[in-house]
Amino acid sequence: MTIYIHIPFCKTICTYCDFPKLLYNKKFSTLYLNALEQEIKERYHHEEVSSIYIGGGTPTSLTYDELKRLLELTKTFNKKQNIEFTIESNVESLTNDKIKLLKEYNINRISLGVQTFNKDNLKELNRHHTKEDVFKVVKSLKDNNINNISIDLIYGITKDINIVKKDIDYFLSLNIPHISCYSLIIEDNTLFKINNRKYIDEDIEYTMYKYIETTLTKNNYIHYEISNYSKEHYESIHNLNYWHNQEYYGFGLGAVSYLNNTRITNTKNLTKYLTNNYIDNSTYEDEQTRISNTIILALRTIKGLNLIEFKKIFKKDIQDIYNIEPLLKEKKLIIKDNYLFIPKEYIYLSNEILLTFI
């Protein structure tokens, strides 16, 4: 079992972000933490937890005292001894005092919203840190013995591949164990969408993807999921739980839970959430939906779908359900050592491959 906690507050709103978020407001942050505490009390049933992930928004946009209160709430959870405990942060909101507080509450993994080191791209994304700020905060984290650090990186903001090359060089010079690399997606209800922002050419974007993959793997990063790379033993336990379609709680505005084969989505309406009307909808997933989701999520990973586990859960072989023989012949799907996976040369096209049989 894993737990996700959503903190929607930000000091500024990024031009590309479609997650539930709002500008930080002291009145609302206090009310929100009250509601969050109540939701956890009502919904959590003391299952053992292997990972906690506090995301947003920007959790570290909370004041020191608010952040301490949030971390106090996590004492409710029945944590495994070797739990992975992650918090997201923007570079500029992570002060030395807050880093020491995170360490005090046994947070052992930090996900930094860097996105790019290029000052022009940062400005377009409405990010408010500099390249130098990233290096300073990473040093502060390491000085406080928090070494399990990840950054997010967005490529395809412009068609200049040299920016991507420099971004990867800067990442490598940080000497940290994890990076998540995403192509720019222009989502509904974002400033990019409102302003009719355009995508770059797909071929250029793919060239960027291949450059990132080749360079990181040459530098001993394991490409373990379409967008994620890590040093050995630093894969995100929390995200692997999602990709293995296992159960999780989601607490907070817009958070999603998956419990007892039911997908539970929290409201994105702050007024409703603050009056303890947490859940927007709840959908029971039949076996066919669970089968589809299990395959789709597993084939995002480089390792792929464990066919023995699949048969143990669903009492049938995948080839009894879907005709994957043509894809096996084309080598767009491969079966090896009881795993079904998309080979690396096709993983970038995974959505197209999945659409041919699911």
Side-chain angles (χ1 to χ4, degrees):
M1 178 67 70
T2 62
I3 287 174
Y4 174 79
I5 299 173
H6 190 76
I7 303 300
F9 302 105
C10 295
K11 294 295 187 182
T12 57
I13 302 299
C14 298
T15 50
Y16 59 90
C17 179
D18 73 330
F19 291 112
K21 76 277 184 188
L22 63 153
L23 288 171
Y24 175 83
N25 177 293
K26 176 68 175 174
K27 174 186 171 184
F28 286 133
S29 62
T30 299
L31 293 173
Y32 186 83
L33 290 172
N34 292 343
L36 181 64
E37 181 175 13
Q38 189 60 33
E39 184 193 7
I40 292 169
K41 282 181 180 176
E42 289 182 21
R43 297 186 54 218
Y44 172 61
H45 299 301
H46 303 287
E47 298 92 337
E48 190 177 51
V49 176
S50 60
S51 83
I52 300 170
Y53 192 108
I54 303 175
T58 312
T60 51
S61 68
L62 297 175
T63 65
Y64 180 93
D65 289 339
E66 290 168 338
L67 186 58
K68 184 171 184 176
R69 184 183 173 196
L70 169 64
L71 296 173
E72 277 290 318
L73 295 182
T74 67
K75 289 183 175 180
T76 302
F77 303 128
N78 176 20
K79 304 180 188 76
K80 281 190 174 180
Q81 190 171 0
N82 60 343
I83 189 169
E84 177 189 86
F85 195 170
T86 305
I87 192 166
E88 286 183 352
S89 176
N90 280 351
V91 174
E92 68 275 17
S93 67
L94 200 53
T95 63
N96 278 325
D97 285 346
K98 288 180 181 178
I99 291 172
K100 291 180 186 303
L101 181 66
L102 300 180
K103 183 68 177 177
E104 180 185 335
Y105 280 85
N106 299 313
I107 285 189
N108 51 27
R109 186 173 185 273
I110 304 291
S111 179
L112 284 176
V114 173
Q115 317 312 345
T116 178
F117 294 86
N118 179 272
K119 64 179 181 179
D120 293 328
N121 283 359
L122 285 166
K123 185 176 180 180
E124 187 176 7
L125 298 177
N126 199 29
R127 308 291 291 187
H128 295 275
H129 64 263
T130 65
K131 174 188 66 175
E132 290 76 18
D133 291 335
V134 178
F135 280 82
K136 284 177 186 175
V137 80
V138 168
K139 183 181 184 303
S140 295
L141 288 166
K142 290 180 178 181
D143 287 347
N144 284 276
N145 292 315
I146 300 177
N147 297 299
N148 191 354
I149 303 166
S150 176
I151 70 165
D152 289 345
L153 191 74
I154 297 176
Y155 62 94
I157 302 166
T158 72
K159 62 184 180 181
D160 186 353
I161 193 169
N162 289 317
I163 291 175
V164 175
K165 290 179 178 180
K166 285 182 180 177
D167 278 351
I168 294 298
D169 284 345
Y170 288 132
F171 164 72
L172 290 171
S173 68
L174 287 169
N175 190 27
I176 57 176
H178 194 283
I179 185 170
S180 300
C181 299
Y182 305 103
S183 62
L184 178 67
I185 298 175
I186 300 168
E187 304 277 10
D188 290 340
N189 304 313
T190 64
L191 287 169
F192 270 172
K193 186 73 170 184
I194 292 165
N195 295 330
N196 201 28
R197 176 61 151 79
K198 303 298 183 186
Y199 287 106
I200 66 167
D201 180 82
E202 286 183 3
D203 290 339
I204 297 174
E205 185 180 276
Y206 180 67
T207 300
M208 292 174 175
Y209 170 85
K210 289 304 293 181
Y211 176 83
I212 291 167
E213 179 191 46
T214 302
T215 305
L216 291 177
T217 52
K218 276 182 182 176
N219 283 276
N220 300 315
Y221 284 85
I222 300 162
H223 187 194
Y224 70 97
E225 190 268 347
I226 294 174
S227 303
N228 285 269
Y229 302 79
S230 76
K231 294 289 190 180
E232 191 173 10
H233 307 308
Y234 283 93
E235 298 91 340
S236 168
I237 292 169
H238 190 83
N239 286 342
L240 283 171
N241 186 78
Y242 292 148
W243 298 321
H244 294 156
N245 203 29
Q246 295 173 347
E247 291 192 324
Y248 53 88
Y249 279 104
F251 299 115
L253 201 69
V256 177
S257 304
Y258 183 51
L259 304 165
N260 300 316
N261 300 323
T262 302
R263 200 77 55 177
I264 304 160
T265 304
N266 277 11
T267 181
K268 294 182 179 180
N269 183 308
L270 182 65
T271 302
K272 287 184 178 179
Y273 189 81
L274 295 182
T275 54
N276 307 123
N277 294 307
Y278 315 113
I279 295 172
D280 182 45
N281 64 71
S282 178
T283 305
Y284 178 79
E285 296 188 345
D286 60 21
E287 183 180 74
Q288 186 55 50
T289 302
R290 296 198 304 274
I291 286 171
S292 298
N293 286 341
T294 298
I295 296 168
I296 289 167
L297 291 166
L299 291 182
R300 284 187 58 91
T301 66
I302 303 303
K303 194 170 185 179
L305 177 69
N306 185 321
L307 295 174
I308 294 173
E309 287 296 316
F310 182 87
K311 188 167 185 177
K312 189 185 295 183
I313 294 168
F314 297 110
K315 316 301 181 193
K316 56 189 82 173
D317 291 319
I318 188 172
Q319 287 167 289
D320 296 332
I321 309 166
Y322 295 112
N323 178 22
I324 61 172
E325 192 61 34
L327 290 166
L328 291 170
K329 285 182 178 177
E330 294 173 13
K331 296 193 174 356
K332 290 181 178 177
L333 285 176
I334 292 175
I335 294 176
K336 183 180 179 182
D337 299 331
N338 293 309
Y339 277 85
L340 174 74
F341 61 93
I342 301 172
K344 280 192 176 184
E345 60 266 32
Y346 292 114
I347 194 75
Y348 188 76
L349 304 173
S350 60
N351 286 344
E352 295 172 29
I353 291 168
L354 288 164
L355 283 170
T356 64
F357 73 97
I358 293 181

